[in-house]
Structures are given as C-alpha cells and as structure tokens.
Amino acid sequence: MSQSKRVFLSAEWRDLVMLNYEIEPSLLNRYVPPGTAQDSFKGRTYVSLVGFRFCDTKLLGCLPVPFHADFDEVNLRLYVRRKEGSDDRRGVVFIAEVVPRRAISTTARLVYGENYTCLRMRHHIETEEFGKRAEYQWRVGGQWCRLSAQTAGPPKHPQEGSLEQFITEHYWGYSTPRSGGCLEYHVSHAPWQVWATTTAGFEGEAGALYGSELGAVIQRRPDCAFVADGSSVTVFKGDRVQ
C-alpha cells in the first residue's frame, strides 16, 4: 500500500514548549511497550512535558473535521528505540495526553490505544522583539496547571549530537493497545528549529494526571528546556509489531 493511502492525519504542530527532565529509568519500565527498549542520551534517561498547538488538522490527510481543526495538546512522553532489520527506529511513548476535544481523545484511544484525557485548555503565545513567550494551561479539578517558557535570541537548528536534537528527532510512535502487544506508527516532519529559554517550568498539581512519582519529577526545575517552532506533520496508520 502506498504511503499516501496510509496517512491517518496531517496537521501543523506549532510553538512546542518542551520541558525535559532526567529520570530514574526504573520509574518508566511499566510504560515501555513490548519489543522496544528505553532510549537514552549519553547514558541519561529523560521524560518530556510538551505543550503545542495542533493547526489545520485533517483526517486521512485531506478531510477537515468541523470544530476540531485547531486545538492544544499537552503530553508527557518517554523515549524508546526498536530494531527493524538494519533500521534503528527511535520513537516516543506517550504516558498521558491532554486535549480539549472529546472526539479527539476518543479517536486516539480507539485507533492507537493512547492514554488521552479531555480537559479544558487554553494557551497564550506572544512574539516579542527579542524572543517569544509561550504558555499552555489545562484545568484539573478546580485548578489550572501551567506549562510556560520565555525564549531569548533567534531560533536555530539544534547542534549535531545535542540533547535538543535527541529530543526533537524521534520519528516513530509506540503504544500498547488494550488487547496487548505493541503498535508502531511513523511520524514524518522536517527538522525543527529551537529557541533557548531564559525561564521555563511547570506550575500546578501534577500527581492527579501523572501519579505521585512522575508528578514529583515534573514539579522540579527542568534539566533542559526549549521552544521548537514546529512544522507540517504527517502521522501514518499504525502496524502491530512482534
């Protein structure tokens, strides 16, 4: 089947705030799908809390969905890799994802087995003369949680071999459906430019969505934080892997 016939959705991913935390690998073992292994950067394991804008979203690459084309997402992710012949595939596993549209969360759970939650969300993006401020909020119970960053200087492509390159250049997604096993799907996009940040962090109660152990990690100061400009993205239909 041609790649065009296997497109699940296309969209623009924009203004990605990426907070990255070094973490003890044993805290992530339960989230690693069978057939994959945790990925690391220079021997260190990371999770990322990421907020961004979905824009101009189309199912099957061509079908706009009324009232669901533009929305926010915040996700907590870890990094894995899987060998497929001579191909070393570096991918992402989503621990939890938040969106503001119930139809989106339901579809993602059914098609990919992803752990989506539907909550009220809002964002604020402000472009300034010498930087950008980006903020994403989502309401858990009666409280707003906030993910934010302030940038400085112009954006540029990450340095070869840098942590920023490691974080942004994972082009596969993996999940564990309720029926078990491992689902693999390809995510195609151009390399992103990134801004360095002067301030960045999370505020709010993290334990309700992520559990006490991961929540404690997220409430620390991130070990690395940056904002990526984003690009057009194509998500292909998934395949079960052994």
Side-chain angles (χ1 to χ4, degrees):
M1 185 179 293
S2 70
Q3 285 288 79
S4 63
K5 291 182 180 179
R6 290 184 52 80
V7 171
F8 174 65
L9 67 79
S10 63
E12 300 272 335
W13 288 357
R14 294 297 178 187
D15 300 315
L16 294 95
V17 179
M18 309 190 82
L19 308 185
N20 311 293
Y21 303 84
E22 187 177 350
I23 191 170
E24 169 57 45
S26 62
L27 294 179
L28 303 177
N29 287 339
R30 60 180 291 218
Y31 301 105
V32 178
T36 70
Q38 289 191 48
D39 202 359
S40 62
F41 177 78
K42 296 183 177 179
R44 297 179 176 180
T45 300
Y46 289 87
V47 292
S48 301
L49 186 65
V50 181
F52 64 103
R53 297 186 299 123
F54 257 96
C55 303
D56 195 26
T57 305
K58 295 182 176 68
L59 286 177
L60 308 179
C62 61
L63 300 176
V65 182
F67 310 112
H68 291 75
D70 303 315
F71 56 92
D72 299 339
E73 177 175 324
V74 171
N75 63 61
L76 179 64
R77 60 178 67 179
L78 64 101
Y79 302 95
V80 299
R81 59 198 318 147
R82 188 182 82 85
K83 292 289 289 186
E84 177 64 27
S86 61
D87 191 10
D88 192 12
R89 296 180 175 179
R90 299 171 57 228
V92 170
V93 175
F94 296 105
I95 297 171
E97 297 160 273
V98 177
V99 291
R101 300 283 191 270
R102 194 167 302 280
I104 295 164
S105 62
T106 301
T107 300
R109 282 196 299 267
L110 291 174
V111 175
Y112 289 109
E114 299 285 13
N115 185 22
Y116 268 85
T117 301
C118 180
L119 297 172
R120 287 180 60 192
M121 300 186 74
R122 61 193 184 192
H123 74 264
H124 178 72
I125 310 293
E126 184 177 350
T127 301
E128 304 162 345
E129 184 178 0
F130 299 107
K132 172 180 287 196
R133 177 167 182 80
E135 177 179 297
Y136 296 90
Q137 296 187 30
W138 60 104
R139 191 173 179 85
V140 181
Q143 182 188 47
W144 284 97
C145 296
R146 184 165 73 102
L147 164 69
S148 63
Q150 174 71 53
T151 74
K156 57 185 179 181
H157 288 291
Q159 221 173 13
E160 188 71 27
S162 65
L163 178 58
E164 289 83 357
Q165 185 187 52
F166 170 82
I167 294 294
T168 57
E169 295 194 9
H170 282 77
Y171 295 107
W172 295 87
Y174 294 93
S175 64
T176 304
R178 290 186 179 181
S179 56
C182 176
L183 191 68
E184 175 188 74
Y185 53 95
H186 182 45
V187 181
S188 174
H189 63 79
W192 297 330
Q193 295 190 98
V194 302
W195 285 269
T197 58
T198 54
T199 58
F202 167 84
E203 298 175 24
E205 170 52 52
L209 275 180
Y210 309 120
S212 59
E213 291 181 320
L214 294 180
V217 172
I218 294 165
Q219 288 178 314
R220 295 184 344 224
R221 180 178 178 177
D223 296 288
C224 166
F226 56 88
V227 175
D229 57 354
S231 66
S232 299
V233 173
T234 302
V235 180
F236 294 91
K237 295 178 182 178
D239 293 306
R240 285 188 174 272
V241 297
Q242 300 299 321

